[in-house]
Amino acid sequence: MYLRERALYETWEDLWKKGYQSPYFQAAYDEKSEMTDWSISDRQLFVQSNGRTMIGQDTLGRLHFICTPHDKIYAIPSGGPDVGGQFKGHIGQYYQNDTALLLGKMNYEIELANGLRMHGADPSSNTWYLDQFLPVTASRQEGLETKVFSLAPVLESESLQVSKIHPLPGPAGALYCMEIKNTSGTTLKGRVKLSLDQKFVNQFEKYGECFEDYTQNPYRSEWDQKLLVLWHPEACAAIQLLDGTCEGDAGNPRMYVPFELKAGESRVFTTIAAVTPKRDEVHEALGMLYQHTSLEWVNITAEFWKDRFGDMRTGIREDKDMGAKYRDMHIRFILDNFNCLSFDSHGNLLTNWQGAPSHSLSRLWGIDIEPDVVSVMYVIPEIGQSAMEYLAKRNVPRFSIYSDHSIFFYVAPLVIAGKYLELTADQSYFRENRDVTSRFQELYEGMLKAKHPDHILFSSHYASDLIVFKKYDYGANVKCFYALKGYRSILKAVGEDTDEVDRMLKQMPIDMAEYMEDDGPFGKQITGGNNMGENREDHFYVGDNLYYYGGEDTATVMAPLYGLYDLDYKPYVNLHRYAQSVMITNYDPEFQTMRELHFGMHPSATGCTLRLGGSHTRKEMFYSLQLMYDRLDETGSLFWWPRATNKKRCLTRCSQGQGAWIQQSTEQWLGIRLHGVEKTLILQPQGLLTDYSLKNAKVGAFRFDIEYHEDKTGTEFYVKNNNACEFKVELNIRPYGTGAEGELKKETVLLQPEESAKKHMDPRGFSVREENIVSTECRSLGNKEMYFGPYGIVMPKLYSDDCNIFLLRFVMGHQERMWKNVKVSIQVPDGFKVTEKKFYYWDYQPIFESDTSTSDIGDLEAGKHGVAGFYISMPDEFAGDEAGVMLSAHPFQVPFGRLEEKTKLLIEGGQTRELAPVKVTLEAGGKIKRSIEIPVIILKSETYKKKYDIMYHD
């Protein structure tokens, strides 16, 4: 091997034998994904990136796409009217760059001399990430075993450094390989053929439409000696099957390699593909890719990730598999988020995709970039500089009528700067880059313009693509608090006075507690925000009579980690219990998470991370982690809208949720909090993990060995300082049997370079109290033994645009003895039809037969939510968009709900009139528990829109 050090894998056999294959995340052959998942971001793909080029391999063993970003960054409309242009932007989208994407669906075919033909993968195949990063599709076929894999490699660590994040990014290209092993017992002869679609996509934003409909053909396809070159003014691809024969017209090429394999022999076939925005860039990429064999490139990239992650093991005493699976999820989330970042060859950040790949190609979506970057900085801290420099210029839209357009996005550079200093202690960067430091001072001054005149509270109009509900939003102020801490750290780094910022940081938690907390069903809780009596005349924000917690609010859950208070702060704990109850208007008991807005919308993946992050006891954490695992797709990724067991991949991978969870996973569940400037490492596990081992693990710019074990006999820590400087290590242990509860016991040790310490700390008891949410619901709804009714406000539609099918679901809870054989029956008005919706299952096309239906729930124990769901088909005259059907109110809202009012079903369309009611009966054990009628009101469009607007803002 042309490598200076001993390779991880000397041979291919060594790689397949020693490389890690997750037993939890792998996917079977799925030829239907393209038929049901029209957007490339929804498809069953195993994605990998080197920071420059992103690739996606499907379960058919095809290199589905390769893409490399353009260097040109341009502004897009951030909201405003849709003028019908080729592209537009949402409120939280400010900038993007185009991308050169080859939708090649590149694949291998094997032709044997005996006349048998087969693809590189077949329905017997399995696909997984080898060593967490390398997509591999393996099949056993007639007399053959095949492994198809693809790789966008990183650079060699000892190569000439041209990038400030060396050895990232890698070259603008990838390798696509197939190993064939002869298992026939005799010699096999034949040839391997390579084929691909010659299709490019460069600028695209249409979610829910077929990606292939927007491809473009190359302007020219030509042979250039051994290369097949596809050229378009916005993209160029140069493809070579190594050792291959090239024949035919370049528009319909024949590329193949003859082979002869004796019994038991194997051979790897390699295709090299460079994809760049310009024709004159492909040879530079090829020049790097030709440097090594495919096995060498796999070793180089595997060594890079092994160096970054170290050796990691996690355990949960209640469930061994859950504990081992946690490690794989943690690493997957970081790699997914790294895949979202695109750099130029010098290491300058070009964009942050919302997911990898995203439905909006290469477009920055504001609220995602900060949690994405921070999550990756734990293992690749050097990207922090590029992210700060990128955002310092692009944290405000080109045009907005609001100076406080999105405070989340505005303070993102300061949040990243604060975390960068914690993880690297690199104060010199701010001293040596005064242009960046000066820009941060401007950002601080801009924050002051959004500050309340009398209190340390900051306003915002939007989070990302949604309003913040109240002018002084709680999550926004959590981010501002940490941004101020980040700015204070910068001031200290450059030797400037911090008195003003110190005073603000001292007062801000007091003001937030006074104006953003109040009594709720579980006790004093965070309310979500406060309008402070301002801006009610423009009807922009939600009214004051609403406690809310947005399903996309990944800021509020960070408050303890940012230092606002501890994890057992009662208003914080009570907020997260409120967020699991039907008393908040956007909790969805079928999805068991919050939907995005106070009136509904999608069951957001961030709702999963909020539920898990806000869990307080071990029992809550255990159930919420199981729920999170159930929402992950086969690759281990969390997508934005996991709608059902059979529809987990909706929109794109959720970089915001995955990034926020990595922060919580690292700093709460692993309990690793680093203060690099002070050379202090705090170890304070307060999650579900009871064991973990990290060998030579990177924590930002520093390295440690850390072992943690907790059981009835006590807690043990082992820490080794693998750095060249002294570190103070604080060991904090919780009482046995707790999650985030209980008083911590602390010990401190001082470790010199290469020094280690092992500590045993005796166990302490604690009386764990579990909250009965259904009991609190019943009490808050009028001291009832049970409740039953429809929930939510805006009813979900089967699909967007012109749809006449909506979901109507009912929730129930009780404090009685076990309910046996629970059923909910429904009858809809004449002209309507109804059919049952199975729990957490998505019917692409429900079958309707009549105006009645029954949902069989089974047994329902006390203290649990039961859900009965139905699809309702309306007459075609009522077909409309996703906002066209709503309840007049959420019937269980506490506080401020009008519980005595009868909930109505409001439908947009036609003349105002009342139809026959929806009749619903709840039955348990053969007895009727409750019968209700829901009036159905048709409203003409103008009237409906007014009611919708009142609901949205009041």
Side-chain angles (χ1 to χ4, degrees):
M1 283 194 172
Y2 189 53
L3 297 173
R4 291 191 181 128
E5 298 178 0
R6 180 177 175 84
L8 273 177
Y9 306 111
E10 297 287 347
T11 64
W12 290 112
E13 185 178 7
D14 208 21
L15 173 69
W16 308 130
K17 183 178 180 180
K18 296 180 181 177
Y20 177 72
Q21 177 181 347
S22 173
Y24 310 106
F25 301 125
Q26 48 190 298
Y29 189 86
D30 183 2
E31 60 185 357
K32 295 181 179 180
S33 179
E34 284 179 63
M35 299 172 62
T36 56
D37 305 321
W38 292 359
S39 295
I40 194 171
S41 56
D42 284 349
R43 292 180 183 172
Q44 180 65 281
L45 296 172
F46 286 73
V47 180
Q48 190 256 333
S49 171
N50 60 12
R52 179 93 181 117
T53 293
M54 184 196 306
I55 62 174
Q57 180 171 313
D58 60 31
T59 60
L60 283 64
R62 302 179 301 180
L63 183 52
H64 203 87
F65 76 88
I66 314 175
C67 69
T68 303
H70 288 233
D71 289 350
K72 177 65 176 178
I73 303 169
Y74 57 90
I76 59 173
S78 300
D82 183 356
V83 300
Q86 175 164 312
F87 61 89
K88 61 181 185 298
H90 292 286
I91 289 295
Q93 298 174 335
Y94 298 175
Y95 291 90
Q96 78 169 50
N97 55 338
D98 294 336
T99 189
L101 187 148
L102 175 66
L103 192 66
K105 300 178 186 177
M106 200 177 294
N107 69 94
Y108 286 113
E109 188 176 42
I110 303 164
E111 293 183 349
L112 297 179
N114 60 18
L116 186 64
R117 298 176 64 181
M118 59 187 77
H119 291 287
D122 75 351
S124 73
S125 71
N126 254 355
T127 303
W128 66 88
Y129 289 110
L130 190 76
D131 280 353
Q132 308 282 7
F133 75 92
L134 182 70
V136 177
T137 302
S139 304
R140 294 177 181 269
Q141 306 192 51
E142 293 185 57
L144 294 172
E145 291 180 4
T146 61
K147 291 185 177 71
V148 181
F149 55 98
S150 47
L151 172 68
V154 304
L155 296 179
E156 316 91 327
S157 58
E158 60 268 68
S159 63
L160 185 66
Q161 182 171 342
V162 297
S163 164
K164 56 189 176 184
I165 57 171
H166 182 80
L168 298 171
L175 298 93
Y176 177 54
C177 306
M178 178 174 68
E179 182 192 71
I180 300 178
K181 183 176 182 180
N182 179 2
T183 59
S184 69
T186 187
T187 299
L188 289 178
K189 296 181 180 180
R191 62 182 185 177
V192 168
K193 294 176 61 178
L194 176 75
S195 62
L196 72 151
D197 296 339
Q198 298 187 9
K199 298 290 183 182
F200 286 120
V201 181
N202 301 303
Q203 203 281 341
F204 185 80
E205 65 166 7
K206 297 176 174 61
Y207 178 68
E209 298 189 34
C210 185
F211 196 64
E212 282 75 6
D213 290 348
Y214 294 89
T215 57
Q216 295 177 314
N217 295 322
Y219 278 33
R220 179 183 298 170
S221 303
E222 62 184 11
W223 292 111
D224 181 358
Q225 300 181 65
K226 298 179 179 181
L227 293 172
L228 173 65
V229 179
L230 314 177
W231 179 80
H232 181 279
E234 301 296 326
C236 184
I239 300 157
Q240 182 183 357
L241 175 59
L242 298 183
D243 301 321
T245 299
C246 308
E247 297 177 345
D249 182 80
N252 186 27
R254 295 189 299 277
M255 294 176 282
Y256 60 88
V257 179
F259 70 85
E260 179 177 330
L261 292 174
K262 298 187 183 304
E265 284 187 342
S266 61
R267 178 179 173 182
V268 172
F269 302 85
T270 300
T271 297
I272 289 180
V275 176
T276 61
K278 299 176 182 178
R279 174 67 174 87
D280 62 8
E281 295 172 334
V282 295
H283 287 135
E284 179 184 21
L286 291 169
M288 288 186 273
L289 291 166
Y290 289 152
Q291 180 73 65
H292 298 288
T293 67
S294 51
L295 181 58
E296 288 172 347
W297 279 124
V298 168
N299 269 284
I300 290 165
T301 308
E303 284 278 11
F304 172 81
W305 288 116
K306 183 177 178 60
D307 174 70
R308 296 296 168 145
F309 287 114
D311 293 321
M312 180 179 184
R313 177 187 59 79
T314 56
I316 297 170
R317 63 171 169 263
E318 291 91 341
D319 191 305
K320 181 179 178 181
D321 277 346
M322 281 184 72
K325 188 175 184 177
Y326 190 86
R327 164 196 181 258
D328 290 358
M329 181 183 76
H330 180 94
I331 293 175
R332 179 76 261 136
F333 281 11
I334 295 176
L335 285 169
D336 276 352
N337 280 10
F338 170 76
N339 293 342
C340 294
L341 300 170
S342 296
F343 300 87
D344 67 15
S345 58
H346 300 289
N348 299 305
L349 184 62
L350 295 173
T351 196
N352 175 82
W353 297 50
Q354 188 184 31
S358 176
H359 55 295
S360 297
L361 298 185
S362 211
R363 177 174 293 184
L364 173 68
W365 205 311
I367 206 167
D368 301 295
I369 187 169
E370 173 260 306
D372 189 310
V373 168
V374 169
S375 68
V376 177
M377 282 202 302
Y378 287 108
V379 295
I380 314 178
E382 54 267 41
I383 68 165
Q385 293 183 14
S386 296
M388 287 185 285
E389 292 162 10
Y390 174 90
L391 279 173
K393 302 174 183 177
R394 300 179 181 89
N395 66 328
V396 294
R398 188 195 65 80
F399 170 78
S400 174
I401 61 175
Y402 302 118
S403 60
D404 61 348
H405 184 89
S406 172
I407 202 75
F408 291 89
F409 201 171
Y410 186 82
V411 302
L414 291 170
V415 172
I416 291 171
K419 186 57 67 176
Y420 177 77
L421 279 165
E422 286 181 12
L423 292 175
T424 67
D426 183 11
Q427 295 178 305
S428 63
Y429 171 78
F430 298 94
R431 292 193 289 266
E432 296 166 4
N433 293 271
R434 287 292 181 162
D435 55 335
V436 176
T437 306
S438 296
R439 175 57 180 153
F440 285 163
Q441 182 177 352
E442 293 174 9
L443 297 185
Y444 170 68
E445 292 169 355
M447 285 181 67
L448 296 183
K449 294 177 182 177
K451 189 183 82 66
H452 187 277
D454 301 317
H455 306 290
I456 313 301
L457 301 174
F458 297 88
S459 68
S460 187
H461 274 78
Y462 300 103
S464 185
D465 56 329
L466 306 173
I467 68 169
V468 294
F469 306 144
K470 295 191 182 178
K471 184 170 183 177
Y472 298 94
D473 175 77
Y474 194 88
N477 279 272
V478 169
K479 284 294 179 188
C480 287
F481 179 81
Y482 190 72
L484 288 174
K485 291 180 72 173
Y487 184 60
R488 180 178 62 182
S489 297
I490 294 169
L491 292 176
K492 288 182 177 180
V494 298
E496 295 186 10
D497 182 75
T498 65
D499 286 351
E500 181 180 68
V501 181
D502 288 335
R503 287 193 295 271
M504 295 174 71
L505 286 168
K506 183 178 180 180
Q507 183 62 35
M508 192 172 180
I510 299 170
D511 289 347
M512 291 176 69
E514 182 175 355
Y515 294 103
M516 298 180 178
E517 294 176 9
D518 211 333
D519 292 333
F522 298 91
K524 195 170 187 181
Q525 69 167 77
I526 294 162
T527 62
N530 197 319
N531 288 314
M532 304 297 284
E534 300 175 17
N535 290 72
R536 292 301 297 144
E537 67 279 357
D538 63 8
H539 216 55
F540 183 89
Y541 298 100
V542 172
D544 292 319
N545 289 342
L546 179 75
Y547 288 1
Y548 70 89
Y549 191 6
E552 288 190 12
D553 177 8
T554 53
T556 293
V557 77
M558 291 288 114
L561 302 183
Y562 287 170
L564 266 167
Y565 38 70
D566 293 330
L567 285 160
D568 60 357
Y569 183 60
K570 279 298 182 183
Y572 174 86
V573 174
N574 291 336
L575 168 68
H576 287 95
R577 287 173 174 164
Y578 183 61
Q580 296 176 44
S581 78
V582 299
M583 295 177 289
I584 191 171
T585 57
N586 61 327
Y587 177 69
D588 193 310
E590 180 184 6
F591 300 112
Q592 300 176 71
T593 60
M594 291 181 296
R595 293 162 75 187
E596 292 170 328
L597 293 171
H598 60 285
F599 58 79
M601 277 189 70
H602 301 286
S604 178
T606 50
C608 295
T609 65
L610 299 183
R611 174 162 185 155
L612 183 57
S615 298
H616 193 56
T617 67
R618 295 192 63 77
K619 183 177 179 181
E620 291 172 359
M621 291 174 177
F622 189 87
Y623 185 83
S624 297
L625 181 59
Q626 284 182 318
L627 194 71
M628 173 85 91
Y629 285 164
D630 289 343
R631 300 302 183 257
L632 303 179
D633 86 323
E634 293 85 348
T635 71
S637 298
L638 182 66
F639 280 69
W640 259 106
W641 300 331
R643 286 179 173 156
T645 53
N646 63 326
K647 195 173 177 61
K648 296 179 178 180
R649 299 188 311 273
C650 292
L651 193 67
T652 184
R653 288 168 171 86
C654 184
S655 61
Q656 179 189 345
Q658 293 187 150
W661 179 250
I662 286 301
Q663 294 180 60
Q664 203 147 7
S665 176
T666 302
E667 299 194 16
Q668 180 187 341
W669 281 43
L670 293 170
I672 300 171
R673 305 183 191 185
L674 184 71
H675 299 282
V677 175
E678 295 82 9
K679 301 298 184 292
T680 298
L681 175 68
I682 298 173
L683 298 180
Q684 185 174 311
Q686 289 180 283
L688 193 61
L689 300 178
T690 49
D691 297 89
Y692 67 77
S693 172
L694 305 173
K695 299 292 181 64
N696 199 33
K698 276 185 72 68
V699 184
F702 302 95
R703 290 186 182 274
F704 302 92
D705 293 350
I706 305 171
E707 294 182 21
Y708 165 71
H709 176 74
E710 176 194 69
D711 62 21
K712 291 180 179 179
T713 65
T715 300
E716 291 188 355
F717 281 107
Y718 169 83
V719 188
K720 182 183 178 186
N721 177 13
N722 295 328
N723 305 288
C725 57
E726 178 184 85
F727 257 90
K728 181 174 76 171
V729 182
E730 290 184 9
L731 308 175
N732 296 287
I733 71 157
R734 61 192 173 183
Y736 178 75
T738 63
E741 323 103 295
E743 185 179 349
L744 299 172
K745 182 179 178 182
K746 182 171 78 172
E747 286 195 21
T748 301
V749 296
L750 199 63
L751 295 181
Q752 300 301 319
E754 300 304 316
E755 188 178 5
S756 64
K758 188 173 184 178
K759 289 284 184 179
H760 174 89
M761 305 168 84
D762 291 334
R764 293 176 296 128
F766 186 84
S767 179
V768 176
R769 178 182 176 272
E770 302 292 347
E771 186 70 41
N772 188 325
I773 290 176
V774 170
S775 175
T776 303
E777 290 169 340
C778 290
R779 183 181 67 251
S780 301
L781 292 169
N783 293 314
K784 300 176 180 178
E785 290 299 309
M786 62 158 289
Y787 61 84
F788 171 71
Y791 68 86
I793 299 178
V794 175
M795 299 294 99
K797 290 289 190 77
L798 185 66
Y799 52 87
S800 57
D801 299 326
D802 196 31
C803 179
N804 70 327
I805 300 172
F806 70 93
L807 278 63
L808 181 61
R809 292 165 299 159
F810 299 83
V811 63
M812 66 207 75
H814 72 91
Q815 300 184 84
E816 303 170 347
R817 296 179 64 181
M818 175 78 77
W819 284 3
K820 296 285 189 178
N821 193 23
V822 180
K823 297 180 180 182
V824 175
S825 301
I826 185 171
Q827 181 178 10
V828 295
D830 290 343
F832 289 64
K833 291 184 178 180
V834 62
T835 191
E836 180 189 9
K837 179 189 184 298
K838 295 177 183 177
F839 185 82
Y840 203 59
Y841 184 86
W842 193 261
D843 295 277
Y844 285 89
Q845 182 53 65
I847 304 301
F848 297 93
E849 295 180 346
S850 72
D851 61 356
T852 62
S853 184
T854 298
S855 174
D856 291 310
I857 296 172
D859 298 342
L860 181 65
E861 63 181 281
K864 302 291 185 182
H865 289 134
V867 177
F870 300 94
Y871 298 104
I872 296 180
S873 174
M874 303 180 290
D876 291 342
E877 64 183 292
F878 302 132
D881 62 21
E882 293 176 290
V885 181
M886 67 177 178
L887 296 178
S888 57
H890 176 63
F892 308 112
Q893 181 182 345
V894 176
F896 309 121
R898 296 184 287 272
L899 305 180
E900 71 283 355
E901 291 187 9
K902 194 168 190 176
T903 301
K904 304 176 183 65
L905 186 67
L906 308 180
I907 300 173
E908 180 181 14
Q911 292 299 311
T912 298
R913 62 192 187 277
E914 183 169 352
L915 304 182
V918 172
K919 298 179 180 180
V920 188
T921 300
L922 168 64
E923 180 183 313
K927 296 180 180 180
I928 294 176
K929 305 291 290 185
R930 183 70 54 83
S931 292
I932 60 175
E933 291 189 357
I934 306 172
V936 179
I937 311 296
I938 309 299
L939 297 174
K940 61 181 181 180
S941 183
E942 181 180 352
T943 304
Y944 183 90
K945 284 180 169 56
K946 285 181 180 178
K947 285 192 173 291
Y948 185 92
D949 184 66
I950 292 171
M951 174 278 299
Y952 192 108
H953 295 283
D954 253 339

